[in-house]
Every structure is written in structure tokens, then in C-alpha cells.
Amino acid sequence: MSSRPLSPSSRAQEVFNDFQREVLAEKAATLGRAGKALEAALAKLRDAGAGEGREALVQAAADAAHVYLIQREVCGIHGLGAPLEDFGVPGEVRVRIGARPARG
């Protein structure tokens, strides 16, 4: 095996490929963090029951679901139904995904 220097175009392609791998790894890591945040928000909501502060927990879970769904799209994973079911996102959270409560 000879150790010839790479041509500039080969080196550029190698650098580009390394960069692409890093980008994909970061996208996957970010998706994992978003999934864990969604799981945590849903757990807090389940643990809270129907008491005071529930509205804020529902909104926090909806916000976490929104972030997760956006990150899935960034990763090239399309479609909404399955991930919401996989995480067990309740209807009261689903209807608030992407919505902000009125201020006033």
C-alpha cells in the first residue's frame, strides 16, 4: 500500500464527508435530547394529575412535542402520527402542539 498524497479534490471530498458525518451525528444527538425532554415533560404531566398548574404542564409537554417533531423533520424523518403514539402523547397535549396561549 502506497501513501501517496491526496489530490486537492480528493482531500476536499474527504473533509466534506467528515463534516457530513459530524452533522448527522449532531442531528441524531439533538433528536435524542428532544425525545428525552418530551418523555420528561409527559412524565411530569402524568404525575401531576388534575391539580393546580396542570395547564402549564400541558403546555410544556406540547412545546416539547413541537420541538421533537421539528427535530425529526430536520433529520429527514417525516410524518406526525407514529411518534406521538409511540410517546403516548395525550389528546390534550396534541391539540396544543405549535400553539401558544393568548396573553392578556
Side-chain angles (χ1 to χ4, degrees), residues 45-58:
L45 180 61
R46 277 190 303 274
D47 293 345
E52 188 176 323
R54 182 168 180 81
E55 291 296 315
L57 292 173
V58 170

Side-chain angles (χ1 to χ4, degrees), residues 9-83:
S9 63
S10 294
R11 180 67 185 136
Q13 186 64 47
E14 184 179 307
V15 169
F16 178 76
N17 290 342
D18 288 346
F19 176 73
Q20 288 292 78
R21 279 189 289 277
E22 286 184 38
V23 168
L24 290 174
E26 186 55 36
K27 284 180 179 180
T30 302
L31 181 61
R33 288 189 297 273
K36 288 181 190 292
L38 176 54
E39 288 173 340
L42 291 170
K44 284 183 183 178
L45 180 61
R46 277 190 303 274
D47 293 345
E52 188 176 323
R54 182 168 180 81
E55 291 296 315
L57 292 173
V58 170
Q59 188 61 54
D63 292 344
H66 192 209
V67 168
Y68 178 78
L69 292 172
I70 289 170
Q71 189 58 37
R72 283 182 85 242
E73 290 286 326
V74 168
C75 290
I77 306 168
H78 306 292
L80 296 177

